[in-house]
Amino acid sequence: MNTVRRSAAALAAAAVVFGTGAALALPAAAAPSPSDPASASASASGSSSGLYGTKDPTYDGVWRQSYAFLAQRGAGFQPADQAVDWLLGQQCADGSFSAYRADTTAPCDAKTMRDTNATALAVQGLGSVRRESADPEKVDKAIKAGDGWLRSVQNKDGGWGYTPGGPSDANSTSLVIGALAATGIKPGSYTSVEGRTPYDALLTFALPCSDKDGAGAFAYQPDKTGKLLANADATAAATLAGLGKSVVSTKASPEQSPTCQDLPKPTAERAALNGASYLAKALAKTGHLTAPPMPGATDTTEKPDIGNTADAVLALAASGATKEAQPALEWLEKNSAAWAKESGPAAYAQLILTARATETDPREFGSADLVEQLNALGPAPKSPDTSDASTSDDERGFDVWWIIGIGMVVGVGIGFLVSGRKK
């Protein structure tokens, strides 16, 4: 659902220029400066500290760690205890997470920038590894604390903003919905003080099918005039959420071509299918999504947006529109290798989860073995588990066919797979 976080420099620039820009831009003040000695040390140590990747984690440490967990569990791998401990250590006493805390020995205080996105994905990531962790009770306690904190910062309209108290946006609300659903909580049970549910908030971002430019799409937030503008990233996220799903989704059956239909009384599910219709049409134009140039760039041409294209393919598969997603999936197989290598763990995880949703082998994704490449970026995970126990209710969303069925096709013994946001 949600895209990979950009580099620290790009994120800081986007936050300064846009304020509420692309789905994963993060305020520069939300985490320690890259020049912070503790941050630099963590970056340099990389996997030796339990963290995936070696690049500066200031803006995406918790995000990429959690995404990696989801992808590895989808392959039957259990992340190393060292990696799980790293993520647990990032949690504040109130249950929240920041994008990254350089000094986890210092308690979180009023200056600590809590992050609903990081918290939601961390909750989901920990939920996927709980059963096979060294201390399941400790992990379970962290999950419940994270869920409780998310509920405590729910806005009156039923949704969530990127930071507590910020206006709700489609991406943050969708990410929380997905995390709640994945950890066994009915999102509709999270009602605000005014009795609004997350789905009530989500519907406020949906454009009607009669909209000339964005029929069926979702906006990230209303613009300054209150107008809703179609946003492909927000649409992919909301499509999953409206269906009650998360980034760990499988292909819906039966397959169905998406259509846009306005109902007298809108529902989240219908809005999600309308969103799928928008995404299918957007992908059909060029076979992939594009992104506008960065502010100040001399080259003003739009570039292929690999991360959002992957999100769109996953959302289409989860809605049953696998046929419409196929051309873009094939484009990703041919064009994502360099992007994933540059972007790091979350990018590999995102592609793996997209492959999973389309029943594509992530060990032969174009010319790349996404599983091997992700595993190499962190502490060596525990060996794959092909038993039914590895897909218990504690790890909702990870189905047996993915671990056993495709694993047998890929190879005996070691041929196992793996699968795979505004600020």
Side-chain angles (χ1 to χ4, degrees):
M1 127 193 203
N2 307 314
T3 56
V4 185
R5 299 197 171 189
R6 315 303 183 205
S7 67
L11 282 168
V16 171
V17 175
F18 292 116
T20 59
L24 295 176
L26 177 63
S33 166
S35 62
D36 186 323
S39 176
S41 175
S43 176
S45 62
S47 62
S48 64
S49 68
L51 172 66
Y52 286 78
T54 58
K55 290 188 176 182
D56 180 14
T58 299
Y59 297 94
D60 76 336
V62 168
W63 181 267
R64 74 197 194 200
Q65 193 83 349
S66 304
Y67 234 136
F69 284 7
L70 295 173
Q72 286 186 324
R73 284 307 296 148
F77 286 94
Q78 170 69 12
D81 293 338
Q82 182 184 13
V84 178
D85 288 342
W86 186 92
L87 186 56
L88 288 170
Q90 288 288 313
Q91 190 172 35
C92 295
D94 61 5
S96 66
F97 285 81
S98 295
Y100 170 70
R101 293 170 58 209
D103 183 7
T104 56
T105 63
C108 300
D109 56 24
K111 294 181 180 180
T112 304
M113 186 68 75
R114 271 75 168 179
D115 177 344
T116 63
N117 292 213
T119 301
L121 201 65
V123 163
Q124 188 174 352
L126 289 171
S128 71
V129 304
R130 188 198 72 83
R131 185 180 179 279
E132 300 296 329
S133 68
D135 192 344
E137 291 186 4
K138 183 178 181 180
V139 176
D140 191 54
K141 183 179 179 180
I143 295 168
K144 291 179 180 178
D147 282 336
W149 181 81
L150 287 169
R151 184 159 199 165
S152 74
V153 297
Q154 184 179 22
N155 289 333
K156 291 181 180 181
D157 63 5
W160 286 266
Y162 184 77
T163 55
S168 297
D169 65 76
N171 293 67
S172 299
T173 300
S174 297
L175 187 58
V176 175
I177 289 174
L180 294 176
T183 53
I185 297 175
K186 294 181 178 180
S189 68
Y190 264 41
T191 53
S192 69
V193 294
E194 294 188 353
R196 303 291 183 87
T197 73
Y199 295 118
D200 290 329
L202 197 64
L203 286 171
T204 65
F205 305 112
L207 279 73
C209 297
S210 59
D211 189 275
K212 181 173 124 179
D213 300 317
F218 283 79
Y220 171 72
Q221 281 177 332
D223 67 10
K224 293 181 179 180
T225 67
K227 184 178 180 180
L228 297 177
L229 301 175
N231 181 298
D233 186 36
T235 303
T239 295
L240 287 174
L243 296 172
K245 299 182 178 183
S246 74
V247 292
V248 184
S249 297
T250 53
K251 183 173 72 172
S253 181
E255 293 191 21
Q256 56 182 333
S257 295
T259 59
C260 199
Q261 178 184 1
D262 289 328
L263 300 179
K265 186 176 181 180
T267 66
E269 182 178 8
R270 182 64 254 175
L273 296 176
N274 291 349
S277 174
Y278 172 84
L279 291 174
K281 292 177 181 178
L283 288 176
K285 294 178 181 178
T286 60
H288 58 80
L289 298 178
T290 59
M294 290 294 292
T298 55
D299 185 356
T300 58
T301 59
E302 292 191 339
K303 304 295 184 183
D305 191 330
I306 297 174
N308 281 342
T309 298
D311 285 342
V313 170
L314 194 159
L316 285 175
S319 71
T322 308
K323 179 180 178 182
E324 286 73 12
Q326 189 62 34
L329 175 66
E330 294 174 358
W331 182 87
L332 284 172
E333 290 186 281
K334 295 177 181 177
N335 296 279
S336 63
W339 169 80
K341 183 177 181 180
E342 171 62 24
S343 300
Y348 284 117
Q350 187 179 11
L351 291 172
I352 287 166
L353 292 175
T354 298
R356 179 182 190 275
T358 56
E359 299 183 359
T360 302
D361 181 4
R363 285 193 175 274
E364 295 183 3
F365 197 79
S367 60
D369 183 338
L370 300 174
V371 178
E372 180 180 358
Q373 291 170 326
L374 173 62
N375 287 350
L377 295 177
K382 298 177 183 179
S383 300
D385 178 7
T386 58
S387 68
D388 289 352
S390 69
T391 56
S392 68
D393 289 341
D394 294 324
E395 297 165 24
R396 295 170 181 84
F398 297 97
D399 46 322
V400 178
W401 72 262
W402 177 251
I403 299 175
I404 300 179
I406 293 184
M408 293 177 66
V409 174
V410 176
V412 177
I414 62 172
F416 295 86
L417 349 83
V418 180
S419 57
R421 152 194 165 145
K422 161 177 169 183
K423 301 189 175 177

